[in-house]
Amino acid sequence: MAPPVVDGAFARWLAARAGELLLEVRAERGHTDPAALKAAGDKLSHDLIRTELARWRPADAVLSEEDDHARKAWVEGDGPKAPARLDAERVWIIDPLDGTREFAEEGRADWAVHVALWSKRASGPRGLAAGAVALPAQHRVLGTDYPPAYPPATLSAASGGPLRLAASRSRPPAFLTAVAEEVRAELVPMGSAGAKIAAVISGEVDGYVHAGGQYEWDSAAPVAVAAATGLHASRIDGSALKYNQPDPRLPDLLVCRKDLAPRLLAALRRQLQVE
């Protein structure tokens, strides 16, 4: 059967298809060889998404984490011709498996598939026209076609307790502990960026702060869904997140409820000045 025509629904369909495949790969291969499981998941999900995009959106460009030289920044006048995506009207920004470490750990559900569409015609500096985040092990897909309801404060924050901020399991930014102390927050370690932003969208945590080591595909789809939900999403200095840039590195972001953004940005500003 043909997939949905509308981009938002198509993104949801594609992310769900890749997620189903990844569950099958996980079940068939088991967890005895984590490295092989990671490699298989990345490749098979990437191949499926690339194949479906070539079939159903052949005129669009693609930026995938698994593409050769995807991380390479292009500088005008230095090196080869600009990547085709920089002149394209529409670019799919995908992460076929966000959170390979968690995918390879038995029982973990904090990994995701990201499918986002950047368009020159989209409003706002982000340029994100559609997006979907599949959380296969949680049996759910979040998408811009049917954005989730705006999340309430976590039970902890609503009852006068500390805020809850999602943080990287493996590489939380050094200043985040100081920020958490200043705003009276508890850090909640989680896996993939998509899972962390999904936790903000669902109200499991109040916000997510990250700095260092990310690229456009790590955040494009979850940011598209978060923005459609009405959440705040920016760089940690408050500036706009921008996608389909010559340098795909996008190392930091803040996603949170809008009422918390001024407080968190102020704390980040003070701590970064101290740093």
Side-chain angles (χ1 to χ4, degrees):
M1 292 180 62
V5 174
V6 177
D7 288 322
F10 177 79
R12 180 187 291 272
W13 173 84
L14 189 53
R17 285 279 313 279
E20 290 167 2
L21 174 64
L22 286 168
L23 288 175
E24 292 173 4
V25 172
R26 214 183 188 201
E28 290 172 2
R29 290 180 173 261
H31 296 79
T32 55
D33 188 343
L37 180 58
K38 291 177 187 178
D42 267 332
K43 183 181 187 308
L44 292 171
S45 182
H46 169 82
D47 289 348
L48 181 150
I49 293 171
R50 273 291 202 169
T51 297
E52 297 295 358
L53 286 172
R55 181 181 182 187
W56 300 108
R57 297 292 191 275
D60 295 348
V62 181
L63 172 63
S64 170
E65 179 183 20
E66 298 305 309
D67 286 335
D68 292 338
H69 311 299
R71 290 173 170 77
K72 184 175 177 59
W74 181 80
V75 179
E76 188 172 1
D78 179 21
K81 183 181 177 182
R85 65 180 177 83
L86 295 179
D87 294 321
E89 290 286 329
R90 291 158 48 96
V91 181
W92 292 91
I93 303 175
I94 62 173
D95 190 341
L97 175 51
D98 182 50
T100 53
R101 174 182 172 183
E102 289 73 28
F103 174 73
E105 292 182 25
E106 189 170 6
R108 293 205 70 96
D110 47 348
W111 50 277
V113 177
H114 298 178
V115 177
L117 174 64
W118 175 93
S119 171
K120 281 186 177 180
R121 300 186 180 185
S123 60
R126 300 186 196 100
L128 297 175
V133 178
L135 299 149
Q138 300 178 30
H139 306 290
R140 59 183 178 137
V141 182
L142 307 177
T144 56
D145 56 337
Y146 292 104
Y150 189 82
T154 58
L155 290 176
S156 174
S159 61
L163 299 174
R164 289 168 57 83
L165 299 179
S168 173
R169 293 176 65 204
S170 56
R171 54 181 189 279
F175 61 81
L176 187 54
T177 299
V179 169
E181 290 176 355
E182 179 175 337
V183 301
R184 193 167 168 258
E186 169 193 1
L187 297 181
V188 182
M190 293 185 184
S192 77
K196 295 186 191 78
I197 296 175
V200 183
I201 293 169
S202 67
E204 181 183 347
V205 296
D206 297 289
Y208 168 45
V209 180
H210 182 80
Q214 286 191 351
Y215 291 82
E216 291 185 9
W217 48 78
D218 290 304
S219 63
V223 162
V225 179
T229 302
L231 292 164
H232 171 91
S234 73
R235 302 286 299 271
I236 59 174
D237 63 0
S239 62
L241 294 159
K242 296 181 180 180
Y243 295 89
N244 196 34
Q245 299 298 296
D247 185 352
R249 187 170 180 268
L250 189 53
D252 61 79
L253 79 161
L254 166 66
V255 179
C256 64
R257 297 198 325 274
K258 283 189 173 180
D259 59 297
L260 293 179
R263 181 178 169 192
L264 290 172
L265 287 169
L268 285 163
R269 195 174 303 116
R270 284 189 288 270
Q271 294 302 327
L272 290 170
Q273 287 174 348
V274 170
E275 291 281 324

